[in-house]
Amino acid sequence: MLWLEVIVVLGAIFFGARLGSIGIGYAGGVGVLILTLGMGLKLGAMPIDVILIIMSVIAAIGAMQVAGGLDYMVSIAEKILRKNPKQITFLAPVVTYVMTFFAGTGHTAFATLPVIAEVAKEQGIRPSRPLSIAVVASQIAITASPISAAVVFVSGALEKQGIGYLELLAVCIPSSFLACMCAAVVANFLGKDLKDDEVYQERLAKGLIKTRGTAKVEIKPGAKLSVVIFLVAILCVITYATLISGKVGLIKNPVLGRDAAIMLFMFAAATFISAFTRIDTAQVLNSSTFKSGMSACICVLGVAWLGDTFVANHITEIKAFAGDLLNVYPWMLAVVLFFASTLLYSQAATAKALIPSALLLGVSPLTIVASFAAVSALFVLPTYPTLIAAVEMDDTGSTRIGKFVFNHPFIVPGVVAIALSVAFAFVIGGMIL
């Protein structure tokens, strides 16, 4: 019966992956239905906390986007990239990492990908090099963002182990950023130079290579103010989390917990942005960030609920099978998280589905913190939205998916970035935690 349940779980995930996008959440719900009503398993816990955080953060980002804040941030990023075009492979991941870090979602990379592709092409640099590591950096930065649902969930899970929100960020921020920059060095040597690429030469001969130019996007009057309000809200989140943390403890018995505070600060940011920039709040519902965020909520609900339902009913068997293995080889947790995230397509869903199980198995907090970056292996299957967008933005053909599916430009920089992030986090965590 256990193996049949495993088949149901994996089957739901694979079928959902084939449906694409929000479909994995749909299929996850079907899997829960089969496991409970069909097989009699006890219903697992719904990831309500993660979903509410995603919703509140996306509500604020959606308001900022309508106010023109994202366009303003992209304009700054474009100036940085065009000022140092020869260093595009190293600056591109810095830009996408920072934008994800502050926004809590990797979908902010969409707006910068055309600029990265164009600047690289203008300099005769193979666009797949900066595009690949830029996409990877936008995914890994989720595990370092102070307002991402994945970080908030993992920090909450580790609080009982004596590791708080600030300690998690203190390890994940430097380890993930350094890993991305090291991976950028590797990406800079991948593939033939653009002038030697046969596909590029063929497309050039056919007149398929176009120059998009430097058309300027009009920055709305309230754009800068919306960004300032949003950044102040993030600062408030970090400050409040510091004041109520057990290590600092300046606020005893806080009225608001950290999760509730994040939600309320984000709602406050959305309110102030809407009021002071005078946006039409109805437009927020149609913004790309709002749509992608709500899609993420459905995916997390279905997949994490499916994972918790299965694990909660078989934790004894899982302990017997995996407990000793993880105690002897703690780095195996990173491997498990890596492969799980390739199918679950969400850092938050992967963390919610597996981190609690790892804690129940007795895995050390240091191992969990160090392995956390491995939930960002969303680049393995070439079907993730930002990855597909990078392929489409590069008309030179250098950023292409190979015949064997997995042989694409993102795989090597991605694996290197995650492997190094885990390794660096073990070292930094060993000194801090």
Side-chain angles (χ1 to χ4, degrees):
M1 196 66 178
L2 174 62
W3 286 109
L4 186 58
E5 292 165 6
V6 171
I7 292 173
V8 170
V9 172
L10 295 179
I13 293 172
F14 278 115
F15 183 66
R18 292 195 64 179
L19 289 177
S21 184
I22 200 171
I24 194 167
Y26 294 160
V30 173
V32 175
L33 189 66
I34 295 172
L35 291 178
T36 52
L37 291 183
M39 298 182 169
L41 268 63
K42 183 180 178 182
L43 186 65
M46 288 186 288
I48 298 299
D49 49 352
V50 174
I51 292 173
L52 292 178
I53 289 169
I54 294 175
M55 290 176 65
S56 57
V57 171
I58 289 299
I61 295 174
M64 182 173 67
Q65 181 179 12
V66 172
L70 287 185
D71 288 337
Y72 175 64
M73 291 171 68
V74 171
S75 69
I76 295 175
E78 182 172 1
K79 290 177 182 177
I80 294 171
L81 294 173
R82 291 193 178 280
K83 190 175 181 180
N84 302 278
K86 293 294 184 182
Q87 305 302 319
I88 185 70
T89 305
F90 302 99
L91 290 176
V94 173
V95 166
T96 56
Y97 184 100
V98 170
M99 290 185 70
T100 298
F101 176 85
F102 284 116
T105 170
H107 291 292
T108 52
F110 278 118
T112 62
L113 295 178
V115 179
I116 294 170
E118 192 65 23
V119 172
K121 190 167 57 175
E122 290 171 0
Q123 297 300 315
I125 296 171
R126 186 181 181 89
S128 64
R129 294 170 179 171
L131 284 172
S132 62
I133 186 58
V135 168
V136 168
S138 72
Q139 295 175 355
I140 292 181
I142 287 291
T143 61
S145 172
I147 58 172
S148 77
V151 166
V152 174
F153 172 75
V154 172
S155 66
L158 290 172
E159 279 183 344
K160 294 181 180 178
Q161 309 295 319
I163 295 178
Y165 176 75
L166 298 177
E167 289 88 350
L168 178 64
L169 290 176
V171 175
C172 292
I173 292 174
S175 61
S176 59
F177 183 77
L178 287 173
C180 287
M181 298 317 298
C182 290
V185 176
V186 174
N188 200 40
F189 292 96
L190 295 177
K192 298 179 179 179
D193 288 339
L194 191 58
K195 60 183 175 60
D196 299 324
D197 189 279
E198 296 85 356
V199 174
Y200 168 69
Q201 293 299 335
E202 182 182 343
R203 293 178 66 84
L204 187 63
K206 293 180 179 179
L208 299 176
I209 310 299
K210 299 178 181 179
T211 301
R212 294 183 177 87
T214 58
K216 292 185 177 180
V217 176
E218 183 180 352
I219 304 301
K220 297 180 180 179
K224 295 181 182 179
L225 178 59
S226 70
V227 173
V228 170
I229 293 173
F230 187 76
L231 293 180
V232 169
I234 294 176
L235 182 61
C236 289
V237 167
I238 297 173
T239 302
Y240 185 77
T242 302
L243 295 176
I244 67 172
S245 68
K247 299 293 176 67
V248 178
L250 291 180
I251 298 179
K252 304 291 185 181
N253 302 315
V255 175
L256 289 177
R258 187 197 56 244
D259 293 6
I262 290 175
M263 298 176 206
L264 295 177
F265 279 128
M266 289 296 106
F267 277 142
T271 301
F272 293 140
I273 289 172
S274 301
F276 294 138
T277 65
R278 298 181 181 180
I279 64 171
D280 179 1
T281 53
Q283 293 182 15
V284 175
L285 303 177
N286 294 318
S287 67
S288 59
T289 52
F290 188 86
K291 290 178 179 178
S292 64
M294 293 308 105
S295 174
C297 287
I298 298 297
C299 293
V300 170
L301 175 60
V303 171
W305 201 1
L306 175 65
D308 193 82
T309 297
F310 176 78
V311 170
N313 283 271
H314 296 289
I315 188 62
T316 302
E317 295 96 320
I318 294 173
K319 280 185 177 181
F321 176 77
D324 293 338
L325 181 65
L326 288 174
N327 285 329
V328 177
Y329 305 106
W331 52 267
M332 284 294 292
L333 176 61
V335 176
V336 172
L337 293 174
F338 181 96
F339 285 106
S341 64
T342 64
L343 299 174
L344 300 184
Y345 272 20
S346 166
Q347 294 93 335
T350 304
K352 180 71 177 178
L354 297 175
I355 295 298
S357 302
L359 286 169
L360 289 173
L361 291 172
V363 176
S364 71
L366 172 60
T367 298
I368 291 175
V369 172
S371 303
F372 182 34
V375 302
S376 298
L378 282 58
F379 54 81
V380 175
L381 295 175
T383 52
Y384 196 73
T386 48
L387 190 152
I388 294 173
V391 174
E392 293 176 348
M393 296 295 178
D394 181 11
D395 60 4
T396 68
S398 70
T399 312
R400 54 183 180 266
I401 310 302
K403 295 180 180 179
F404 302 104
V405 181
F406 294 102
N407 56 328
H408 53 73
F410 307 88
I411 196 77
V412 173
V415 172
V416 169
I418 285 184
L420 290 178
S421 185
V422 172
F424 290 157
F426 267 113
V427 174
I428 297 173
M431 295 186 291
I432 295 178
L433 305 180

